[in-house]
PDB file of all heavy atoms in Angstrom:
ATOM      1  N   ALA L 259      19.403   5.155  -3.793  1.00  0.00           N
ATOM      2  CA  ALA L 259      19.733   6.419  -4.459  1.00  0.00           C
ATOM      3  C   ALA L 259      20.022   6.125  -5.917  1.00  0.00           C
ATOM      4  O   ALA L 259      20.458   5.022  -6.278  1.00  0.00           O
ATOM      5  CB  ALA L 259      20.944   7.072  -3.805  1.00  0.00           C
ATOM      6  N   LEU L 260      19.779   7.093  -6.787  1.00  0.00           N
ATOM      7  CA  LEU L 260      20.046   6.926  -8.212  1.00  0.00           C
ATOM      8  C   LEU L 260      21.545   6.826  -8.475  1.00  0.00           C
ATOM      9  O   LEU L 260      22.355   7.389  -7.722  1.00  0.00           O
ATOM     10  CB  LEU L 260      19.476   8.109  -8.995  1.00  0.00           C
ATOM     11  CG  LEU L 260      17.960   8.242  -9.062  1.00  0.00           C
ATOM     12  CD1 LEU L 260      17.604   9.566  -9.732  1.00  0.00           C
ATOM     13  CD2 LEU L 260      17.337   7.078  -9.801  1.00  0.00           C
ATOM     14  N   PRO L 261      21.954   6.145  -9.545  1.00  0.00           N
ATOM     15  CA  PRO L 261      23.380   6.098  -9.911  1.00  0.00           C
ATOM     16  C   PRO L 261      23.942   7.496 -10.133  1.00  0.00           C
ATOM     17  O   PRO L 261      23.314   8.336 -10.760  1.00  0.00           O
ATOM     18  CB  PRO L 261      23.368   5.297 -11.225  1.00  0.00           C
ATOM     19  CG  PRO L 261      22.116   4.503 -11.199  1.00  0.00           C
ATOM     20  CD  PRO L 261      21.120   5.347 -10.465  1.00  0.00           C
ATOM     21  N   GLY L 262      25.117   7.729  -9.574  1.00  0.00           N
ATOM     22  CA  GLY L 262      25.772   9.016  -9.771  1.00  0.00           C
ATOM     23  C   GLY L 262      25.229  10.150  -8.947  1.00  0.00           C
ATOM     24  O   GLY L 262      25.637  11.299  -9.122  1.00  0.00           O
ATOM     25  N   VAL L 263      24.280   9.859  -8.026  1.00  0.00           N
ATOM     26  CA  VAL L 263      23.682  10.896  -7.193  1.00  0.00           C
ATOM     27  C   VAL L 263      23.904  10.548  -5.724  1.00  0.00           C
ATOM     28  O   VAL L 263      23.705   9.403  -5.316  1.00  0.00           O
ATOM     29  CB  VAL L 263      22.166  11.038  -7.473  1.00  0.00           C
ATOM     30  CG1 VAL L 263      21.539  12.044  -6.517  1.00  0.00           C
ATOM     31  CG2 VAL L 263      21.930  11.449  -8.912  1.00  0.00           C
ATOM     32  N   LYS L 264      24.321  11.530  -4.944  1.00  0.00           N
ATOM     33  CA  LYS L 264      24.474  11.358  -3.508  1.00  0.00           C
ATOM     34  C   LYS L 264      23.447  12.237  -2.816  1.00  0.00           C
ATOM     35  O   LYS L 264      23.726  13.391  -2.470  1.00  0.00           O
ATOM     36  CB  LYS L 264      25.891  11.722  -3.065  1.00  0.00           C
ATOM     37  CG  LYS L 264      26.968  10.799  -3.622  1.00  0.00           C
ATOM     38  CD  LYS L 264      28.354  11.201  -3.130  1.00  0.00           C
ATOM     39  CE  LYS L 264      29.428  10.258  -3.680  1.00  0.00           C
ATOM     40  NZ  LYS L 264      30.788  10.645  -3.216  1.00  0.00           N
ATOM     41  N   PRO L 265      22.237  11.709  -2.600  1.00  0.00           N
ATOM     42  CA  PRO L 265      21.166  12.546  -2.041  1.00  0.00           C
ATOM     43  C   PRO L 265      21.378  12.836  -0.568  1.00  0.00           C
ATOM     44  O   PRO L 265      21.985  12.048   0.166  1.00  0.00           O
ATOM     45  CB  PRO L 265      19.917  11.687  -2.264  1.00  0.00           C
ATOM     46  CG  PRO L 265      20.426  10.287  -2.233  1.00  0.00           C
ATOM     47  CD  PRO L 265      21.788  10.345  -2.863  1.00  0.00           C
ATOM     48  N   TYR L 266      20.860  13.958  -0.134  1.00  0.00           N
ATOM     49  CA  TYR L 266      20.900  14.310   1.281  1.00  0.00           C
ATOM     50  C   TYR L 266      20.063  13.322   2.094  1.00  0.00           C
ATOM     51  O   TYR L 266      20.447  12.906   3.185  1.00  0.00           O
ATOM     52  CB  TYR L 266      20.386  15.740   1.454  1.00  0.00           C
ATOM     53  CG  TYR L 266      20.188  16.157   2.880  1.00  0.00           C
ATOM     54  CD1 TYR L 266      21.275  16.262   3.759  1.00  0.00           C
ATOM     55  CD2 TYR L 266      18.924  16.462   3.369  1.00  0.00           C
ATOM     56  CE1 TYR L 266      21.094  16.650   5.076  1.00  0.00           C
ATOM     57  CE2 TYR L 266      18.740  16.862   4.683  1.00  0.00           C
ATOM     58  CZ  TYR L 266      19.827  16.949   5.537  1.00  0.00           C
ATOM     59  OH  TYR L 266      19.641  17.335   6.844  1.00  0.00           O
ATOM     60  N   ILE L 267      18.893  12.946   1.571  1.00  0.00           N
ATOM     61  CA  ILE L 267      18.053  11.927   2.196  1.00  0.00           C
ATOM     62  C   ILE L 267      17.846  10.803   1.185  1.00  0.00           C
ATOM     63  O   ILE L 267      17.229  11.021   0.136  1.00  0.00           O
ATOM     64  CB  ILE L 267      16.675  12.485   2.612  1.00  0.00           C
ATOM     65  CG1 ILE L 267      16.835  13.663   3.572  1.00  0.00           C
ATOM     66  CG2 ILE L 267      15.837  11.394   3.272  1.00  0.00           C
ATOM     67  CD1 ILE L 267      15.517  14.336   3.938  1.00  0.00           C
ATOM     68  N   LYS L 268      18.356   9.623   1.475  1.00  0.00           N
ATOM     69  CA  LYS L 268      18.130   8.494   0.574  1.00  0.00           C
ATOM     70  C   LYS L 268      16.680   8.045   0.654  1.00  0.00           C
ATOM     71  O   LYS L 268      15.960   8.330   1.622  1.00  0.00           O
ATOM     72  CB  LYS L 268      19.061   7.340   0.931  1.00  0.00           C
ATOM     73  CG  LYS L 268      20.503   7.544   0.502  1.00  0.00           C
ATOM     74  CD  LYS L 268      21.294   6.253   0.682  1.00  0.00           C
ATOM     75  CE  LYS L 268      22.701   6.392   0.125  1.00  0.00           C
ATOM     76  NZ  LYS L 268      23.464   5.123   0.228  1.00  0.00           N
ATOM     77  N   ASP L 269      16.233   7.337  -0.369  1.00  0.00           N
ATOM     78  CA  ASP L 269      14.858   6.858  -0.426  1.00  0.00           C
ATOM     79  C   ASP L 269      14.739   5.489   0.221  1.00  0.00           C
ATOM     80  O   ASP L 269      15.604   4.633   0.057  1.00  0.00           O
ATOM     81  CB  ASP L 269      14.383   6.758  -1.882  1.00  0.00           C
ATOM     82  CG  ASP L 269      14.431   8.088  -2.598  1.00  0.00           C
ATOM     83  OD1 ASP L 269      14.163   9.111  -1.946  1.00  0.00           O
ATOM     84  OD2 ASP L 269      14.752   8.100  -3.804  1.00  0.00           O
ATOM     85  N   ASN L 270      13.651   5.301   0.929  1.00  0.00           N
ATOM     86  CA  ASN L 270      13.329   3.977   1.452  1.00  0.00           C
ATOM     87  C   ASN L 270      12.641   3.153   0.376  1.00  0.00           C
ATOM     88  O   ASN L 270      11.964   3.699  -0.497  1.00  0.00           O
ATOM     89  CB  ASN L 270      12.398   4.088   2.658  1.00  0.00           C
ATOM     90  CG  ASN L 270      13.059   4.739   3.842  1.00  0.00           C
ATOM     91  OD1 ASN L 270      14.155   4.353   4.235  1.00  0.00           O
ATOM     92  ND2 ASN L 270      12.412   5.741   4.406  1.00  0.00           N
ATOM     93  N   SER L 271      12.798   1.852   0.451  1.00  0.00           N
ATOM     94  CA  SER L 271      12.064   0.971  -0.446  1.00  0.00           C
ATOM     95  C   SER L 271      10.569   1.207  -0.265  1.00  0.00           C
ATOM     96  O   SER L 271      10.064   1.237   0.861  1.00  0.00           O
ATOM     97  CB  SER L 271      12.409  -0.489  -0.127  1.00  0.00           C
ATOM     98  OG  SER L 271      11.655  -1.360  -0.924  1.00  0.00           O
ATOM     99  N   GLY L 272       9.869   1.409  -1.364  1.00  0.00           N
ATOM    100  CA  GLY L 272       8.430   1.656  -1.303  1.00  0.00           C
ATOM    101  C   GLY L 272       8.043   3.109  -1.362  1.00  0.00           C
ATOM    102  O   GLY L 272       6.852   3.430  -1.446  1.00  0.00           O
ATOM    103  N   GLU L 273       9.020   4.021  -1.379  1.00  0.00           N
ATOM    104  CA  GLU L 273       8.679   5.433  -1.490  1.00  0.00           C
ATOM    105  C   GLU L 273       8.403   5.802  -2.946  1.00  0.00           C
ATOM    106  O   GLU L 273       9.044   5.286  -3.857  1.00  0.00           O
ATOM    107  CB  GLU L 273       9.797   6.311  -0.926  1.00  0.00           C
ATOM    108  CG  GLU L 273       9.840   6.302   0.595  1.00  0.00           C
ATOM    109  CD  GLU L 273      10.818   7.312   1.156  1.00  0.00           C
ATOM    110  OE1 GLU L 273      11.474   8.031   0.371  1.00  0.00           O
ATOM    111  OE2 GLU L 273      10.918   7.373   2.384  1.00  0.00           O
ATOM    112  N   TYR L 274       7.456   6.714  -3.141  1.00  0.00           N
ATOM    113  CA  TYR L 274       7.072   7.088  -4.494  1.00  0.00           C
ATOM    114  C   TYR L 274       6.756   8.573  -4.577  1.00  0.00           C
ATOM    115  O   TYR L 274       6.595   9.265  -3.563  1.00  0.00           O
ATOM    116  CB  TYR L 274       5.875   6.264  -4.973  1.00  0.00           C
ATOM    117  CG  TYR L 274       4.609   6.422  -4.157  1.00  0.00           C
ATOM    118  CD1 TYR L 274       3.717   7.465  -4.407  1.00  0.00           C
ATOM    119  CD2 TYR L 274       4.281   5.508  -3.142  1.00  0.00           C
ATOM    120  CE1 TYR L 274       2.544   7.611  -3.676  1.00  0.00           C
ATOM    121  CE2 TYR L 274       3.120   5.650  -2.398  1.00  0.00           C
ATOM    122  CZ  TYR L 274       2.256   6.700  -2.672  1.00  0.00           C
ATOM    123  OH  TYR L 274       1.106   6.848  -1.942  1.00  0.00           O
ATOM    124  N   VAL L 275       6.665   9.049  -5.804  1.00  0.00           N
ATOM    125  CA  VAL L 275       6.293  10.440  -6.065  1.00  0.00           C
ATOM    126  C   VAL L 275       5.354  10.457  -7.262  1.00  0.00           C
ATOM    127  O   VAL L 275       5.507   9.684  -8.207  1.00  0.00           O
ATOM    128  CB  VAL L 275       7.540  11.310  -6.341  1.00  0.00           C
ATOM    129  CG1 VAL L 275       8.379  10.745  -7.481  1.00  0.00           C
ATOM    130  CG2 VAL L 275       7.155  12.761  -6.652  1.00  0.00           C
ATOM    131  N   TYR L 276       4.355  11.331  -7.195  1.00  0.00           N
ATOM    132  CA  TYR L 276       3.431  11.528  -8.314  1.00  0.00           C
ATOM    133  C   TYR L 276       3.435  12.990  -8.734  1.00  0.00           C
ATOM    134  O   TYR L 276       3.466  13.894  -7.888  1.00  0.00           O
ATOM    135  CB  TYR L 276       2.009  11.116  -7.940  1.00  0.00           C
ATOM    136  CG  TYR L 276       1.695   9.700  -8.354  1.00  0.00           C
ATOM    137  CD1 TYR L 276       1.735   8.663  -7.431  1.00  0.00           C
ATOM    138  CD2 TYR L 276       1.378   9.398  -9.675  1.00  0.00           C
ATOM    139  CE1 TYR L 276       1.460   7.357  -7.809  1.00  0.00           C
ATOM    140  CE2 TYR L 276       1.104   8.098 -10.064  1.00  0.00           C
ATOM    141  CZ  TYR L 276       1.153   7.081  -9.134  1.00  0.00           C
ATOM    142  OH  TYR L 276       0.892   5.802  -9.522  1.00  0.00           O
ATOM    143  N   TYR L 277       3.404  13.186 -10.059  1.00  0.00           N
ATOM    144  CA  TYR L 277       3.403  14.521 -10.643  1.00  0.00           C
ATOM    145  C   TYR L 277       2.144  14.732 -11.482  1.00  0.00           C
ATOM    146  O   TYR L 277       1.651  13.798 -12.125  1.00  0.00           O
ATOM    147  CB  TYR L 277       4.608  14.722 -11.564  1.00  0.00           C
ATOM    148  CG  TYR L 277       5.957  14.599 -10.903  1.00  0.00           C
ATOM    149  CD1 TYR L 277       6.625  13.368 -10.867  1.00  0.00           C
ATOM    150  CD2 TYR L 277       6.575  15.711 -10.331  1.00  0.00           C
ATOM    151  CE1 TYR L 277       7.880  13.258 -10.272  1.00  0.00           C
ATOM    152  CE2 TYR L 277       7.830  15.604  -9.737  1.00  0.00           C
ATOM    153  CZ  TYR L 277       8.469  14.373  -9.708  1.00  0.00           C
ATOM    154  OH  TYR L 277       9.709  14.257  -9.126  1.00  0.00           O
ATOM    155  N   ARG L 278       1.666  15.951 -11.525  1.00  0.00           N
ATOM    156  CA  ARG L 278       0.662  16.367 -12.519  1.00  0.00           C
ATOM    157  C   ARG L 278       1.447  16.884 -13.722  1.00  0.00           C
ATOM    158  O   ARG L 278       2.266  17.800 -13.596  1.00  0.00           O
ATOM    159  CB  ARG L 278      -0.229  17.469 -11.955  1.00  0.00           C
ATOM    160  CG  ARG L 278      -1.167  18.118 -12.994  1.00  0.00           C
ATOM    161  CD  ARG L 278      -2.326  17.218 -13.355  1.00  0.00           C
ATOM    162  NE  ARG L 278      -3.142  17.785 -14.414  1.00  0.00           N
ATOM    163  CZ  ARG L 278      -4.178  18.607 -14.220  1.00  0.00           C
ATOM    164  NH1 ARG L 278      -4.488  19.005 -12.981  1.00  0.00           N
ATOM    165  NH2 ARG L 278      -4.881  19.041 -15.233  1.00  0.00           N
ATOM    166  N   ASP L 279       1.216  16.271 -14.876  1.00  0.00           N
ATOM    167  CA  ASP L 279       1.933  16.640 -16.096  1.00  0.00           C
ATOM    168  C   ASP L 279       0.967  17.398 -17.009  1.00  0.00           C
ATOM    169  O   ASP L 279       0.070  16.813 -17.620  1.00  0.00           O
ATOM    170  CB  ASP L 279       2.460  15.385 -16.793  1.00  0.00           C
ATOM    171  CG  ASP L 279       3.401  15.707 -17.945  1.00  0.00           C
ATOM    172  OD1 ASP L 279       3.310  16.820 -18.492  1.00  0.00           O
ATOM    173  OD2 ASP L 279       4.220  14.839 -18.310  1.00  0.00           O
ATOM    174  N   LYS L 280       1.161  18.711 -17.106  1.00  0.00           N
ATOM    175  CA  LYS L 280       0.247  19.553 -17.867  1.00  0.00           C
ATOM    176  C   LYS L 280       0.621  19.676 -19.336  1.00  0.00           C
ATOM    177  O   LYS L 280      -0.008  20.445 -20.072  1.00  0.00           O
ATOM    178  CB  LYS L 280       0.175  20.940 -17.223  1.00  0.00           C
ATOM    179  CG  LYS L 280      -0.370  20.912 -15.802  1.00  0.00           C
ATOM    180  CD  LYS L 280      -0.418  22.300 -15.194  1.00  0.00           C
ATOM    181  CE  LYS L 280      -0.924  22.253 -13.763  1.00  0.00           C
ATOM    182  NZ  LYS L 280      -0.947  23.598 -13.131  1.00  0.00           N
ATOM    183  N   SER L 281       1.628  18.910 -19.762  1.00  0.00           N
ATOM    184  CA  SER L 281       1.993  18.940 -21.171  1.00  0.00           C
ATOM    185  C   SER L 281       1.031  18.104 -22.013  1.00  0.00           C
ATOM    186  O   SER L 281       1.031  18.188 -23.240  1.00  0.00           O
ATOM    187  CB  SER L 281       3.431  18.437 -21.370  1.00  0.00           C
ATOM    188  OG  SER L 281       3.546  17.075 -21.029  1.00  0.00           O
ATOM    189  N   PHE L 282       0.199  17.282 -21.362  1.00  0.00           N
ATOM    190  CA  PHE L 282      -0.821  16.505 -22.066  1.00  0.00           C
ATOM    191  C   PHE L 282      -2.086  17.339 -22.241  1.00  0.00           C
ATOM    192  O   PHE L 282      -2.372  18.240 -21.433  1.00  0.00           O
ATOM    193  CB  PHE L 282      -1.164  15.236 -21.282  1.00  0.00           C
ATOM    194  CG  PHE L 282      -0.090  14.181 -21.307  1.00  0.00           C
ATOM    195  CD1 PHE L 282       0.972  14.233 -20.417  1.00  0.00           C
ATOM    196  CD2 PHE L 282      -0.140  13.138 -22.225  1.00  0.00           C
ATOM    197  CE1 PHE L 282       1.958  13.258 -20.428  1.00  0.00           C
ATOM    198  CE2 PHE L 282       0.845  12.164 -22.251  1.00  0.00           C
ATOM    199  CZ  PHE L 282       1.901  12.224 -21.351  1.00  0.00           C
ATOM    200  N   THR L 283      -2.847  17.035 -23.260  1.00  0.00           N
ATOM    201  CA  THR L 283      -4.090  17.764 -23.500  1.00  0.00           C
ATOM    202  C   THR L 283      -5.183  17.341 -22.523  1.00  0.00           C
ATOM    203  O   THR L 283      -6.123  18.098 -22.283  1.00  0.00           O
ATOM    204  CB  THR L 283      -4.582  17.541 -24.936  1.00  0.00           C
ATOM    205  OG1 THR L 283      -4.707  16.127 -25.183  1.00  0.00           O
ATOM    206  CG2 THR L 283      -3.613  18.148 -25.941  1.00  0.00           C
ATOM    207  N   ARG L 284      -5.077  16.131 -21.946  1.00  0.00           N
ATOM    208  CA  ARG L 284      -6.025  15.675 -20.945  1.00  0.00           C
ATOM    209  C   ARG L 284      -5.344  15.636 -19.582  1.00  0.00           C
ATOM    210  O   ARG L 284      -4.121  15.650 -19.485  1.00  0.00           O
ATOM    211  CB  ARG L 284      -6.583  14.289 -21.295  1.00  0.00           C
ATOM    212  CG  ARG L 284      -5.542  13.182 -21.283  1.00  0.00           C
ATOM    213  CD  ARG L 284      -6.098  11.849 -21.751  1.00  0.00           C
ATOM    214  NE  ARG L 284      -7.125  11.314 -20.853  1.00  0.00           N
ATOM    215  CZ  ARG L 284      -7.657  10.101 -20.981  1.00  0.00           C
ATOM    216  NH1 ARG L 284      -7.277   9.306 -21.988  1.00  0.00           N
ATOM    217  NH2 ARG L 284      -8.564   9.671 -20.142  1.00  0.00           N
ATOM    218  N   GLU L 285      -6.116  15.604 -18.525  1.00  0.00           N
ATOM    219  CA  GLU L 285      -5.561  15.538 -17.175  1.00  0.00           C
ATOM    220  C   GLU L 285      -4.713  14.274 -17.038  1.00  0.00           C
ATOM    221  O   GLU L 285      -5.204  13.165 -17.235  1.00  0.00           O
ATOM    222  CB  GLU L 285      -6.687  15.529 -16.143  1.00  0.00           C
ATOM    223  CG  GLU L 285      -6.211  15.491 -14.706  1.00  0.00           C
ATOM    224  CD  GLU L 285      -7.363  15.460 -13.713  1.00  0.00           C
ATOM    225  OE1 GLU L 285      -8.529  15.582 -14.147  1.00  0.00           O
ATOM    226  OE2 GLU L 285      -7.095  15.290 -12.513  1.00  0.00           O
ATOM    227  N   SER L 286      -3.444  14.445 -16.678  1.00  0.00           N
ATOM    228  CA  SER L 286      -2.515  13.317 -16.678  1.00  0.00           C
ATOM    229  C   SER L 286      -1.575  13.377 -15.485  1.00  0.00           C
ATOM    230  O   SER L 286      -1.166  14.459 -15.039  1.00  0.00           O
ATOM    231  CB  SER L 286      -1.679  13.297 -17.961  1.00  0.00           C
ATOM    232  OG  SER L 286      -2.495  13.115 -19.099  1.00  0.00           O
TER     233      SER L 286
END
Side-chain angles (χ1 to χ4, degrees):
L260 292 173
V263 175
K264 295 181 179 180
Y266 172 65
I267 302 175
K268 285 190 174 183
D269 300 324
N270 293 310
S271 177
E273 285 188 0
Y274 61 85
V275 55
Y276 265 100
Y277 299 92
R278 171 75 185 271
D279 189 336
K280 298 180 182 179
S281 65
F282 288 84
T283 55
R284 65 185 295 187
E285 181 181 354
S286 297

